[in-house]
Amino acid sequence: MDRKRSYYEDVALFDSKAKLFWFFVLMAFLVAYPHIVPSNSYIYMANLMAINIIVVLGLNLLVGFTGQISLGHAGFFCVGAYATITLMIHAGLPFIVALPAAALISALLGFLLGLPALRLEGPYLSIATLGFGISITKVIGKMQFFGGRQGLHAPELTIGSWNLDTDLDFYYLAVGLTVLLTIAARNIVKTRVGRAFIAIREDDIAAQTTGVNLTYYKTLAFALSAFYTGLAGGLFAFVLRFIEPEMFTLLMSILFLAMVVVGGLGSIMGSITGAVLITWLDLQLRHILTIPYIGDWLRTLSQSWFSITGVSNIQYIVLGTIVVLIMVFEPLGLYGLWIRAKKYWKTWPF
Amino acid sequence: MSFFKVENLSVWFGGLAAIDGVSFEVEPGQVFAVIGPNGAGKTTLFNCINGIYKPGKGEIFFKGNEIVGLKPDAVARMGIARTFQNIELFDHMTTMENLMLGRHIHMKTGLLRGAFLWGKRSFAGREEMVHREKVESIIDLLELQSVRNKFVGALPYGTQKLIELGRALALEPELLLLDEPCAGMNAEEKQDMIFWIKDIQDELGITVLLIEHDMKMVMDISDQVLAINFGRPITQGTPQEVQQHPEVLAAYLGEDA
Ligand SMILES: Nc1ncnc2c1ncn2[C@@H]1O[C@H](COP(=O)(O)OP(=O)(O)OP(=O)(O)O)[C@@H](O)[C@H]1O
Ligand SMILES: [Mg+2]
């Protein structure tokens, strides 16, 4: 018990050689991934996953770590996407400047939304953020400067002399940024600012009496969360190379939140697994109607029972059911599973 | 200029006065006890001092500065820390992390420097090490080593009370407000707590403002005692003097009988 220990161990990213080893294994896998998958659609899927991981990290910092809810993150995603493209087209900025600038614009909006949020909690905050998410896309959709309802086409994506015109190029950009932002988020929650966030979630009175400025840290959490989400939005603009206001729906905000909750509130690992799992499910379920026999049956089921418009919506029903089941069996989300697995393996030889 | 002074403080909830014209002064290095029956307004007094409530009337001076109107975090930065009657800990954080929150005001790492925690030599890395060492010394002092890395929410009541004390000490305050630190403790835990409060006064030189129901303990460790009832001051003096006061006698003997 009395061994002299370095206090750095408590916060070190890799507190053991084994962790460092696995980190390098993961990095090697990420580098090799696009070359070992059978088709381009896997790269496209990984790109979406990377973008969603960034969003979910940001949203988890706000919801899971600081304890403030948001139902409007599609709004920040939208702002990031539009700001990046607009800054490139109209201000002639290179992508590498436009992307962080767009994230900062989103962060500024996050800060402004954080101000009224100081007086709101729980359901009231949900409604306020929901209002923001819905109205921001309507505002953008009305302005010709932003392409109105026709949307905007993304310009060519280059960084210096690197022309990122394929999914493969974009993969390295998106995954590289995701790794950096994951480590940054993990470092933030392990140090002073992150502790202040968690303290506010746990007990805001006690947090204040230990010297945490509630106004500052609550708005900072909103700004930081919006920064991550805005940056992810800027990347998203180049996935389809086209954006329109209708893409950034309330459903999108809810899916982001589902990724946070399914992965595990207040967990960096959970943010990653939640985003990966739900992105995968969402993509897979889009093809659910093409499955032989079951597909036709599901279409009939959907159209006769669940859909007013006749457009089949069964994939969302299946997705929702899976989310409900995960929460019923593991309320802590995938992160809870991970903790239990870790415990299991620790005690395994005995 | 006195070290700590409350002047003519009054607080109303609705039409009812929870505190009604309370004044007192605390000398540096004292243990100053506030006693009174349930609902007398003791906790409300603490809540006014550290900025959770804003009093309707009156003033509070700490080292010559008016602190009424300051937010709780600003009061903490001035050097006033406290514990709560109903434990207010960060349940899903470890003992170490709870105490690290006590170091918040002494640290500088912000968002950017925190995000770039690249190794021991980075600013954030160095700062973490310095302050973890400080916290470790408090963990040693209060003998909390065995729960250092445990989440505090599931720990026994007595241990939680101690962790709260540790968190307050981590702020390195000049004035420490303790709201019934021994409530709900067994005899042995109480004895330890008395010992530590004396230590805090003697070794660390921290001035203590104490709310306590246990008269024996109050007699034992306080230099000055203020008795209040229905928010009004009854008497103030040394423990012996206050104990002799008829209204205090009535309140406490009446309670025991
Ligand atoms: N936030 C509040 N709103 C309304 N009334 C309050 C509030 N806080 C305290 N009171 C009332 O003020 C009075 C004093 O309460 P306080 O908690 O200060 O008593 P206390 O002396 O600490 O009692 P105890 O020994 O039971 O802890 C009580 O009548 C209480 O009901
Ligand atoms: Mg009380």
Side-chain angles (χ1 to χ4, degrees):
Chain A
M1 171 145 295
D2 236 356
R3 87 198 154 95
K4 275 265 171 274
R5 67 198 307 284
S6 155
Y7 296 108
Y8 186 69
E9 267 176 43
D10 288 345
V11 289
L13 189 52
F14 307 110
D15 52 5
S16 66
K17 288 253 156 58
K19 272 199 188 155
L20 189 62
F21 171 75
W22 286 114
F23 178 75
F24 279 117
V25 171
L26 177 67
M27 288 305 112
F29 169 75
L30 289 177
V31 171
Y33 175 86
H35 303 288
I36 53 180
V37 292
S39 76
N40 200 59
S41 68
Y42 286 85
I43 302 177
Y44 171 80
M45 178 174 76
N47 291 348
L48 277 186
M49 285 176 175
I51 288 168
N52 284 341
I53 288 173
I54 298 175
V55 174
V56 176
L57 284 170
L59 188 56
N60 215 341
L61 282 168
L62 182 71
V63 182
F65 287 93
T66 319
Q68 306 187 91
I69 188 90
S70 168
L71 274 175
H73 262 49
F76 296 119
F77 200 60
C78 175
V79 167
Y82 270 92
T84 305
I85 292 192
T86 313
L87 285 173
M88 288 172 77
I89 298 177
H90 292 287
L93 294 177
F95 172 76
I96 200 158
V97 179
L99 183 71
L104 283 175
I105 291 171
S106 174
L108 180 68
L109 278 176
F111 165 76
L112 293 177
L113 184 63
L115 291 178
L118 288 171
R119 307 184 151 272
L120 305 172
E121 260 173 35
Y124 303 100
L125 184 54
S126 314
I127 298 302
T129 51
L130 179 119
F132 163 77
I134 293 175
S135 53
I136 194 84
T137 56
K138 297 284 175 266
V139 169
I140 288 175
K142 278 271 180 285
M143 293 169 84
Q144 274 318 306
F145 182 69
F146 293 115
R149 300 206 148 270
Q150 272 76 52
L152 284 177
H153 284 277
E156 222 164 72
L157 180 56
T158 55
I159 298 174
S161 58
W162 180 23
N163 194 341
L164 294 86
D165 49 5
T166 65
D167 282 346
L168 179 67
D169 290 308
F170 188 78
Y171 170 89
Y172 286 111
L173 171 71
V175 170
L177 278 175
T178 304
V179 170
L180 280 182
L181 288 167
T182 304
I183 294 176
R186 181 267 173 209
N187 284 344
I188 287 170
V189 302
K190 281 279 178 187
T191 49
R192 179 168 171 266
V193 173
R195 275 194 298 267
F197 286 166
I198 302 171
I200 289 171
R201 175 194 75 193
E202 292 285 304
D203 187 330
D204 56 357
I205 296 276
Q208 281 181 283
T209 55
T210 54
V212 173
N213 183 331
L214 214 56
T215 312
Y216 179 79
Y217 283 97
K218 276 189 160 183
T219 46
L220 185 66
F222 255 101
L224 177 64
S225 185
F227 181 90
Y228 267 71
T229 309
L231 195 130
L235 289 174
F236 180 73
F238 292 89
V239 168
L240 299 174
R241 297 188 177 253
F242 170 71
I243 50 173
E244 55 172 346
E246 267 74 43
M247 287 176 173
F248 307 92
T249 56
L250 172 60
L251 182 69
M252 186 185 240
S253 291
I254 292 174
L255 270 183
F256 287 153
L257 207 53
M259 293 178 196
V260 169
V261 178
V262 163
L265 286 160
S267 152
I268 299 292
M269 271 294 259
S271 304
I272 297 170
T273 48
V276 167
L277 180 78
I278 301 268
T279 309
W280 180 77
L281 273 177
D282 187 31
L283 287 176
Q284 295 308 307
L285 291 173
R286 282 181 201 176
H287 308 302
I288 198 168
L289 295 179
T290 62
I291 302 173
Y293 307 116
I294 305 176
D296 286 336
W297 179 74
L298 283 175
R299 188 195 311 273
T300 326
L301 181 77
S302 166
Q303 284 171 348
S304 50
W305 291 100
F306 300 125
S307 167
I308 315 168
T309 52
V311 180
S312 68
N313 54 1
I314 197 78
Q315 72 261 40
Y316 296 117
I317 297 173
V318 176
L319 182 63
T321 311
I322 294 174
V323 169
V324 169
L325 288 178
I326 293 176
M327 294 329 294
V328 166
F329 289 106
E330 188 53 74
L332 292 180
L334 297 172
Y335 181 65
L337 274 182
W338 161 256
I339 291 179
R340 279 205 262 151
K342 223 163 60 168
K343 271 199 191 132
Y344 178 78
W345 288 109
K346 248 187 200 154
T347 52
W348 177 63
F350 307 107
Chain B
M1 178 192 85
S2 58
F3 177 69
F4 182 75
K5 187 156 113 186
V6 171
E7 253 178 30
N8 205 16
L9 198 74
S10 296
V11 180
W12 291 275
F13 291 116
L16 260 75
I19 296 186
D20 193 357
V22 168
S23 304
F24 63 92
E25 272 183 47
V26 181
E27 299 296 323
Q30 275 188 337
V31 171
F32 188 103
V34 180
I35 63 169
N38 292 116
K42 306 181 294 296
T43 299
T44 305
L45 174 66
F46 273 20
N47 285 342
C48 290
I49 294 173
N50 82 334
I52 295 174
Y53 294 161
K54 197 170 185 306
K57 219 176 77 192
E59 280 150 317
I60 305 174
F61 295 96
F62 179 57
K63 294 194 295 181
N65 301 306
E66 165 81 87
I67 60 171
V68 168
L70 293 185
K71 292 233 177 97
D73 56 288
V75 175
R77 274 192 293 276
M78 292 198 69
I80 301 181
R82 81 173 277 186
T83 66
F84 295 85
Q85 184 173 355
N86 308 307
I87 302 170
E88 308 262 359
L89 282 174
F90 311 119
D91 284 354
H92 295 94
M93 295 176 109
T94 64
T95 303
M96 180 52 137
E97 289 165 340
N98 266 275
L99 266 58
M100 280 302 279
L101 251 301
R103 302 301 302 167
H104 183 86
I105 56 171
H106 299 291
M107 297 176 75
K108 288 205 179 66
T109 300
L111 207 51
L112 278 182
R113 289 196 283 200
F116 291 97
L117 174 78
W118 293 115
K120 285 180 211 214
R121 303 253 184 85
S122 64
F123 181 87
R126 274 181 293 149
E127 197 180 53
E128 282 292 317
M129 287 198 285
V130 169
H131 290 271
R132 276 167 193 270
E133 197 168 344
K134 274 252 159 64
V135 164
E136 198 76 33
S137 69
I138 295 170
I139 288 181
D140 285 344
L141 175 78
L142 300 179
E143 292 164 18
L144 289 166
Q145 295 93 338
S146 63
V147 295
R148 181 185 190 275
N149 294 320
K150 295 226 166 81
F151 290 118
V152 301
L155 296 175
Y157 185 83
T159 313
Q160 291 198 7
K161 280 254 170 200
L162 221 56
I163 295 170
E164 230 198 355
L165 176 64
R167 185 181 64 193
L169 286 179
L171 279 112
E172 294 184 73
E174 288 179 63
L175 177 66
L176 180 60
L177 317 181
L178 301 176
D179 196 343
E180 303 198 15
C182 291
M185 285 189 164
N186 63 33
E188 193 188 334
E189 288 173 328
K190 246 184 213 180
Q191 212 46 56
D192 284 347
M193 185 58 89
I194 290 173
F195 171 79
W196 276 314
I197 294 175
K198 279 184 175 155
D199 249 20
I200 288 167
Q201 181 189 20
D202 297 340
E203 311 268 314
L204 304 176
I206 298 173
T207 310
V208 176
L209 202 55
L210 171 78
I211 295 177
E212 188 47 61
H213 278 295
D214 185 331
M215 274 310 268
K216 196 185 149 300
M217 175 176 169
V218 170
M219 292 296 129
D220 211 16
I221 59 173
S222 21
D223 301 300
Q224 278 283 307
V225 180
L226 165 72
I228 58 175
N229 199 6
F230 299 114
R232 277 189 299 274
I234 298 174
T235 177
Q236 188 196 321
T238 63
Q240 287 71 26
E241 289 165 2
V242 171
Q243 202 177 20
Q244 301 307 321
H245 193 277
E247 258 189 74
V248 175
L249 274 173
Y252 279 85
L253 293 179
E255 222 174 56
D256 282 355

